[in-house]
């Protein structure tokens, strides 16, 4: 079954064709980062306008690259939640148009479910059940993936998402958007023990995270040094901040896996590209003889291949939308 998948939940316009959930025939992402960078973050109004301009041509390019025409496509899938509402609506309406014109099923896909599915493409043998840490610009969740379309959230952030905390800390240091990527690179040559930052621990919500205190701590540190006219040791700040975020993520995730009896661990979302998270979690899992699955770096961020993968399993579970499908800025993964 060949699914044409559309993703436009934030600032990437993405289109892909995926066969039977695992085989990516073609996948292209049109990033708007350069344009949003001058504002220090995504401007929703600009994002939707660029999606409108790009989506038709990108679809044509993907079909050409796949050497397919619309007659070969069996269904169209689209990210319908969560995300920027104007951006989501562009993809949803475009997908509806294709579904109506070609008389093929319209499959609604939850953005975070698709991030998990990036792992089905990278790791062909991976099947639920497993436990997953989803860390992106807008979300930080620990999720029990009981089946392809059955999930239970067991922990989430009380305030900022992990990616959001990286981006805000980076902005304070004058680093370009999206800050997580550049902080990760700079941290590689910094001293992670240079600054002692808080490791916020939520005790009443066993597996919940909190990153706003950590963000405030680094911002205060930066302010202090700026007021004293000291040169910012950016690499050390990045390394210390990255270490604190990654420690919090790994502590909660491994304790959830331990207590719930999971030996198969999966990471997903933009922040799953973080090199320290990947390294340290790998060694934690090795110690305990657990399996760790990670998406390839090019599938960590937003793309449509992951949407096409998840859509196959949504279709198998009869999750098909009608022409009144709406987009939602927030919606639970469950
Ligand atoms: O999943 P994603 O592409 O978009 C959302 O659904 O939000 O995640 C984007 C987030 C941004 O906050 C970005 O800074 C962060 O992922 N990110 C990273 C790294 N690569 C991307 N954060 C830390 N380390 C990285 N290597
Ligand atoms: Zn995402």
């Amino acid at each position: 079954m060949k699914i044409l998948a559309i993703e436009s939940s934030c600032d990437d316009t993405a289109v892909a064709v995926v066969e039977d959930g695992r085989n990516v025939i073609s996948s292209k992402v049109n990033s708007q980062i350069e344009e949003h960078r001058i504002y220090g973050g995504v401007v929703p109004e600009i994002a939707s306008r660029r999606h409108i301009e790009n989506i038709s041509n990108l679809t044509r390019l993907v079909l050409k690259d796949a050497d397919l025409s619309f007659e070969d496509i069996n269904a169209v899938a689209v990210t319908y939640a969560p995300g920027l509402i104007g951006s989501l609506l562009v993809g949803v309406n475009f997908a509806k148009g294709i579904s109506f014109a070609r008389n093929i099923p319209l499959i609604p896909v939850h953005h975070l479910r698709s991030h998990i599915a990036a792992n089905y493409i990278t790791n062909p043998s991976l099947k639920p059940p497993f436990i997953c840490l989803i860390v992106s610009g807008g979300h930080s969740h620990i999720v029990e993936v009981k089946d392809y379309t059955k999930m239970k959230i067991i922990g989430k952030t009380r305030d900022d998402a992990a990616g959001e905390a990286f981006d805000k800390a980076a902005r304070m240091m004058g680093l370009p958007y999206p800050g997580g990527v550049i902080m990760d690179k700079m941290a590689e040559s910094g001293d992670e023990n240079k600054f002692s930052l808080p490791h916020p621990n939520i005790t009443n919500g066993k597996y919940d995270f909190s990153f706003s205190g950590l963000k405030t701590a680094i911002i205060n540190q930066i302010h202090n040094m700026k007021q004293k006219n000291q040169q910012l040791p950016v690499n050390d700040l990045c390394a210390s901040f990255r270490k604190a975020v990654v420690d919090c993520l790994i502590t909660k995730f491994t304790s959830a896996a331990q207590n719930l009896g999971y030996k198969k661990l999966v990471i997903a979302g933009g922040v799953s590209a973080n090199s320290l998270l990947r390294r340290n979690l790998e060694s934690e899992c090795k110690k305990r003889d657990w399996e760790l699955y990670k998406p390839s770096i090019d599938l960590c961020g937003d793309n449509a291949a992951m949407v096409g993968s998840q859509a196959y399993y949504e279709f198998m579970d009869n999750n098909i939308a009608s022409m009144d499908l709406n987009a939602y800025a927030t919606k639970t993964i469950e």
Side-chain angles (χ1 to χ4, degrees), residues 96-118:
K96 275 188 194 178
I98 294 172
S99 164
F100 185 75
R102 302 299 320 164
N103 198 20
I104 52 176
L106 173 66
I107 310 170
V109 177
H110 189 283
H111 184 61
L112 297 182
R113 286 191 180 193
S114 70
H115 269 301
I116 298 174

Side-chain angles (χ1 to χ4, degrees), residues 57-249:
N57 273 341
L58 196 64
T59 304
R60 258 190 226 113
L61 277 178
V62 165
L63 286 173
K64 191 167 176 233
D65 183 56
D67 202 14
L68 297 170
S69 70
F70 274 116
E71 283 80 53
D72 305 308
I73 300 297
N74 307 109
V76 58
V78 65
T79 309
Y80 76 109
L84 301 174
I85 197 71
S87 289
L88 287 166
L89 282 168
V90 174
V92 166
N93 277 306
F94 186 71
K96 275 188 194 178
I98 294 172
S99 164
F100 185 75
R102 302 299 320 164
N103 198 20
I104 52 176
L106 173 66
I107 310 170
V109 177
H110 189 283
H111 184 61
L112 297 182
R113 286 191 180 193
S114 70
H115 269 301
I116 298 174
N119 283 282
Y120 303 140
I121 298 168
T122 307
N123 310 286
S125 65
L126 176 65
K127 288 189 180 110
F130 52 77
I131 192 164
C132 184
L133 173 73
I134 311 173
V135 271
S136 71
H139 298 85
S140 300
H141 281 1
I142 298 177
V143 178
E144 278 187 88
V145 181
K146 295 169 187 273
D147 207 338
Y148 290 104
T149 55
K150 265 193 209 80
M151 338 234 153
K152 187 175 170 211
I153 300 174
I154 56 162
K156 55 176 154 184
T157 183
R158 295 285 181 92
D159 38 58
D160 290 348
E164 189 182 357
F166 271 114
D167 295 343
K168 286 180 178 165
R171 198 173 169 166
M172 283 305 296
M173 289 183 247
L175 299 173
Y177 176 85
V181 188
I182 178 107
M183 277 185 85
D184 190 19
K185 273 199 197 109
M186 299 193 76
E188 288 294 297
S189 50
D191 175 2
E192 63 184 22
N193 299 313
K194 185 73 182 250
F195 298 97
S196 121
L197 294 169
H199 285 51
N201 189 15
I202 308 268
T203 44
N204 56 347
K206 229 171 159 185
Y207 306 119
D208 284 355
F209 306 105
S210 166
F211 294 112
S212 74
L214 177 57
K215 180 191 67 189
T216 308
I218 192 120
I219 288 175
N220 286 342
Q221 189 69 252
I222 294 167
H223 273 152
N224 275 338
M225 285 188 283
K226 276 187 181 167
Q227 272 167 359
K228 290 179 193 153
N229 270 331
Q230 290 173 346
Q231 173 118 21
L232 288 185
V234 179
N235 295 62
D236 298 339
L237 285 165
C238 288
S240 305
F241 186 80
R242 180 179 72 164
K243 172 79 167 44
V245 172
V246 167
D247 279 351
C248 292
L249 292 173

Side-chain angles (χ1 to χ4, degrees), residues 257-273:
Q258 179 80 48
N259 296 341
L260 297 167
Y262 284 94
K263 294 183 173 185
K264 208 195 275 185
L265 283 73
V266 174
I267 56 174
V271 183
S272 68

